[in-house]
Amino acid sequence: MANELMNRFDLDPFFDRMAHRFFSPSDFDKDYENLGNLKTDINETDKDYSLKIDVPGVDKNNIHLNYQDGLLSININQQHTSEQKDENGKIIASERSHGVMSRSYQLPGVDRENISAHIDNGVLNITLPKVTESEDTTGNIDID
């Protein structure tokens, strides 16, 4: 019975987050906890797709975007180092952390040459214009 109880806690997100907060209570770790989800808003119009992805505290140089075969991929590779010193300047703690996150989005029919992206207040904004349809609006199909 004890094993069943421990297995249940292993898979329970509430207890996983509680243990994470207990053993790693730094603000940086909380950012990584939020980063782990890569919360995303996707808006589609006739002209484009717009994505807003939360990336708090992530440097733009650590974000890699790729669009190929109708698939937008985002990869984040972030490292962080912090030191705590006493009043004499002697290091009493030095911590390092490394996080990798990736996610893909199926977004077909995009004009790859005109994709744009920028970060504003910890939010990555990506605009993917759709490929324009042909100018022939008659709907006629020629038979060869």
Side-chain angles (χ1 to χ4, degrees):
M1 182 167 157
N3 285 339
E4 290 176 25
L5 185 61
M6 291 306 292
N7 286 340
R8 193 184 108 215
F9 290 155
D10 254 354
L11 301 174
D12 190 329
F14 172 77
F15 288 103
D16 288 345
R17 283 191 301 271
M18 184 173 66
H20 180 74
R21 284 192 305 265
F22 179 76
F23 291 111
S24 302
S26 74
D27 288 337
F28 182 75
D29 289 332
K30 290 176 188 172
D31 285 344
Y32 264 114
E33 185 175 295
N34 293 332
L35 176 64
N37 297 325
L38 283 179
K39 292 179 174 48
T40 305
D41 295 330
I42 301 175
N43 185 30
E44 180 181 8
T45 66
D46 292 338
K47 296 181 181 184
D48 61 22
Y49 298 101
S50 298
L51 284 80
K52 291 184 178 190
I53 305 169
D54 291 345
V55 290
V58 177
D59 186 285
K60 73 176 187 176
N61 296 323
N62 296 329
I63 301 173
H64 306 284
L65 297 173
N66 183 32
Y67 183 82
Q68 188 172 354
D69 299 326
L71 191 68
L72 175 69
S73 299
I74 178 172
N75 295 300
I76 298 174
N77 189 346
Q78 180 91 346
Q79 295 182 4
H80 178 72
T81 303
S82 68
E83 292 181 347
Q84 294 178 357
K85 298 180 181 184
D86 65 9
E87 60 275 351
N88 298 326
K90 183 178 177 183
I91 297 174
I92 57 173
S94 178
E95 296 183 3
R96 290 161 303 285
S97 60
H98 180 253
V100 177
M101 177 56 57
S102 64
R103 187 162 178 192
S104 296
Y105 308 88
Q106 190 73 34
L107 302 167
V110 169
D111 180 2
R112 185 175 185 204
E113 300 300 317
N114 292 307
I115 296 173
S116 64
H118 69 279
I119 295 179
D120 186 31
N121 293 325
V123 177
L124 175 62
N125 296 283
I126 307 170
T127 302
L128 300 99
K130 292 182 179 178
V131 176
T132 57
E133 296 182 23
S134 72
E135 298 297 321
D136 182 17
T137 58
T138 63
N140 294 329
I141 300 172
D142 295 329
I143 300 174
D144 295 347

